[in-house]
Amino acid sequence: MWALFIWVSLLLTSITHWVYSWRNPKCRGKLPPGSMGFPLLGETIQFFKPNTTSDIPLFIKERVKKYGPIFKTNLVGRPVIVSTDPDLSYFVFQQEGRCFQSWYPDTFTNIFGRKNVGSLHGFMYKYLKSLVLTLFGYDGLKKMLPQVELTANKRLELWSNQESVELKDSTASMIFDLTAKKLISHDPDKSSENLRANFVAFIQGLISFPFKIPGTAYHKCLKGRESAMRMLRNMLQERRKKPRKNPSDFFDYVIEEIQKEGTILTEEIALDLMFVLLFASFETTSLALTLAIKFLSDDPEVLKRLTEEHETILRNREDADSGLTWEEYKSMTYTFQFINETARLANIVPAIFRKALIDIKFKDYTIPAGWAVMVCPPAVHLNPEKYEDPLVFNPSRWEESNANNASKHFMAFGGGMRFCVGTDFTKLQMAVFLHSLVTKYKSELVIVLS
């Protein structure tokens, strides 16, 4: 009897010590305030609750109110420092490779691939970034401009003959088809499989609780990725069997790199890169463009000013029927202010993760080595101390600002060394589409945002 009592006492003591250690992690310094949640689960369930407003996610808002702009938590079993502080967030981006490196939970890595560009560091990351810039760099975008305008005009003409348009899905389809053509020469009309459908299945479970059980959103997400990767792998292998003499898409450049002697590019890395590029280019841009059109429909004054800028471009042309030139595109001052304001309010990326490489002192706190840091762009973009009436759409607030790069108060496209290489491609597609929309169509917009 005494033996059983001692055994139970020891078990309870061990459990109590484990729970105490979980809630009070060791640190050579002072940790930010916060709660580590339940053992193993942490605060994961609360974190994954959907945000149904355009405001800062409730998970963040409640904890900032309770603990301040920097707090600790635990997500999917990992200790995390959450930053809504502009100075800390900017510092994290600027110290890439020295104090921090890109990191995402295993659930995200499983979704995007172990060799995806977000999980690679140092020379390998810089190498892939330079490879992507062969397509999305200045020269590539300049060549792409006529095709982007042609695509926008064709889709708008198609939509104009319909009673209404489900805008998010329609813009996603437009952008995916254009991006897939530039990346892999994919033609949905000639393909026996629907590549985009696999990405749709993937996206629907992207922000979901990581239960790998058939029927769950997360499981469907992984299946969508598996199907998309199979299609991409088959395309790559088929292309390698029949290489083209003159590179005409990104796949051609990738194949050239893979076949070079001593190359560091593997087929696995190339396929994960292609998957991420397809996802990022169409899902993020289509969401931003959908919101941009909603903002236009809600604000007649903004629509009027945007229309005036683009009609001025047409009036200044020698040939009114000629296509957009690069100089005309670069002259769209108010349009870029409009796009910046859309990106600020869209908050397409709700969280950006990094991992501390060393113990880091910041203000009164210590971020321990090995801990994750989650930067929260919505908290930065909706900060009333920086943006007056932060939830109000007001492109004019950018008149005195230069938001072409990341800053302490604008990080819609990331920051530091990992500033999104597709930023200029996104802006090009949005600006050209808006040009075609406001100069060719005057009808009422019917918007369904599902």
Side-chain angles (χ1 to χ4, degrees):
M1 186 69 178
W2 278 105
L4 178 61
F5 175 78
I6 293 171
W7 182 84
V8 171
S9 298
L10 289 173
L11 179 62
L12 290 174
T13 301
S14 298
I15 292 174
T16 301
H17 177 73
W18 176 58
V19 171
Y20 178 84
S21 299
W22 176 275
R23 293 183 174 178
N24 300 275
K26 292 181 180 180
C27 172
R28 291 192 292 267
K30 179 184 176 184
L31 282 169
S35 170
M36 304 304 284
F38 293 105
L40 300 180
L41 275 178
E43 295 188 306
T44 308
I45 295 175
Q46 298 95 312
F47 177 74
F48 276 108
K49 284 183 179 178
N51 182 33
T52 56
T53 73
S54 57
D55 203 347
I56 299 168
L58 195 60
F59 176 87
I60 301 295
K61 203 168 186 177
E62 289 177 343
R63 284 155 183 79
V64 169
K65 186 177 180 180
K66 187 174 183 180
Y67 303 118
I70 304 171
F71 61 89
K72 69 177 181 287
T73 184
N74 189 292
L75 304 176
V76 290
R78 182 84 181 214
V80 179
I81 302 294
V82 178
S83 171
T84 68
D85 181 287
D87 293 325
L88 175 56
S89 299
Y90 189 70
F91 175 74
V92 168
F93 289 143
Q94 296 306 309
Q95 292 298 313
E96 174 80 26
R98 294 184 287 273
C99 298
F100 301 94
Q101 70 178 26
S102 179
W103 175 86
Y104 282 89
D106 287 343
T107 51
F108 278 71
T109 305
N110 291 338
I111 289 172
F112 286 108
R114 293 284 168 184
K115 298 294 184 179
N116 82 81
V117 65
S119 299
L120 299 174
H121 312 288
F123 175 78
M124 192 66 202
Y125 172 77
K126 292 178 181 177
Y127 165 75
L128 290 180
K129 186 175 180 178
S130 66
L131 190 63
V132 173
L133 286 174
T134 60
L135 179 68
F136 293 133
Y138 176 86
D139 292 335
L141 294 180
K142 199 170 181 179
K143 294 175 184 175
M144 210 183 295
L145 177 59
Q147 188 172 0
V148 173
E149 184 178 20
L150 179 64
T151 299
N153 288 336
K154 283 185 175 179
R155 288 303 173 104
L156 282 167
E157 183 180 359
L158 175 66
W159 299 348
S160 69
N161 293 316
Q162 300 175 14
E163 289 186 7
S164 65
V165 174
E166 199 292 306
L167 198 56
K168 174 60 173 66
D169 185 68
S170 298
T171 54
S173 174
M174 174 185 69
I175 293 166
F176 184 85
D177 289 348
L178 173 64
T179 307
K181 186 172 184 178
K182 297 304 296 181
L183 286 175
I184 57 179
S185 297
H186 178 66
D187 186 341
D189 296 328
K190 297 179 181 179
S191 176
S192 59
E193 294 185 84
N194 190 335
L195 180 60
R196 182 173 167 261
N198 292 321
F199 275 90
V200 170
F202 166 80
I203 290 162
Q204 288 174 347
L206 184 58
I207 305 298
S208 60
F209 203 81
F211 285 135
K212 196 176 178 180
I213 302 171
T216 63
Y218 184 69
H219 185 265
K220 291 176 182 177
C221 176
L222 293 178
K223 285 296 182 183
R225 169 186 163 77
E226 184 181 308
S227 298
M229 288 296 288
R230 175 178 49 77
M231 289 186 68
L232 291 173
R233 186 174 292 105
N234 291 341
M235 290 178 192
L236 179 61
Q237 291 173 352
E238 184 66 27
R239 189 77 67 83
R240 292 186 73 175
K241 292 176 184 177
K242 300 176 182 178
R244 306 183 199 185
K245 292 182 180 179
N246 300 310
S248 60
D249 65 14
F250 192 60
F251 244 159
D252 290 329
Y253 289 106
V254 165
I255 290 167
E256 281 188 356
E257 288 293 316
I258 290 176
Q259 293 176 339
K260 285 180 180 178
E261 186 176 349
T263 183
I264 60 173
L265 184 64
T266 66
E267 188 172 293
E268 182 184 6
I269 294 174
L271 289 171
D272 277 347
L273 175 63
M274 203 69 65
F275 181 88
V276 169
L277 289 176
L278 281 167
F279 162 75
S281 61
F282 96 94
E283 176 58 17
T284 56
T285 306
S286 63
L287 178 55
L289 191 53
T290 300
L291 288 173
I293 297 171
K294 181 185 184 301
F295 292 142
L296 273 184
S297 70
D298 290 343
D299 196 325
E301 287 302 313
V302 171
L303 175 59
K304 180 183 176 183
R305 188 169 172 186
L306 191 72
T307 303
E308 287 173 352
E309 177 170 86
H310 289 275
E311 287 182 342
T312 299
I313 289 174
L314 296 184
R315 284 196 301 270
N316 290 338
R317 281 183 187 169
E318 292 184 10
D319 180 3
D321 295 325
S322 63
L324 267 173
T325 66
W326 187 253
E327 290 71 27
E328 290 172 341
Y329 165 66
K330 298 300 287 185
S331 74
M332 298 175 181
T333 304
Y334 185 72
T335 303
F336 291 126
Q337 293 170 11
F338 178 91
I339 291 172
N340 285 340
E341 182 70 347
T342 300
R344 181 186 72 84
L345 283 174
N347 285 311
I348 295 167
V349 180
I352 301 173
F353 288 92
R354 296 291 186 265
K355 182 175 73 174
L357 299 175
I358 57 175
D359 283 355
I360 297 154
K361 303 285 185 181
F362 187 85
K363 296 184 178 178
D364 295 331
Y365 302 127
T366 295
I367 302 174
W371 277 49
V373 178
M374 188 184 92
V375 173
C376 182
V380 174
H381 296 157
L382 300 176
N383 181 0
E385 295 179 7
K386 173 61 182 176
Y387 299 104
E388 185 179 352
D389 296 324
L391 290 172
V392 173
F393 183 77
N394 178 20
S396 296
R397 72 171 85 239
W398 296 96
E399 286 177 356
E400 304 300 324
S401 302
N402 179 11
N404 290 325
N405 296 310
S407 70
K408 290 182 181 180
H409 304 289
F410 186 68
M411 45 191 67
F413 303 101
M417 187 177 78
R418 289 182 181 268
F419 186 77
C420 178
V421 294
T423 299
D424 290 332
F425 182 45
T426 294
K427 291 182 177 180
L428 177 72
Q429 291 180 95
M430 291 183 68
V432 172
F433 182 89
L434 291 169
H435 172 79
S436 297
L437 177 66
V438 300
T439 58
K440 296 178 184 295
Y441 298 93
K442 304 293 184 181
S443 59
E444 240 179 69
L445 296 170
V446 179
I447 300 179
V448 181
L449 289 176
S450 60

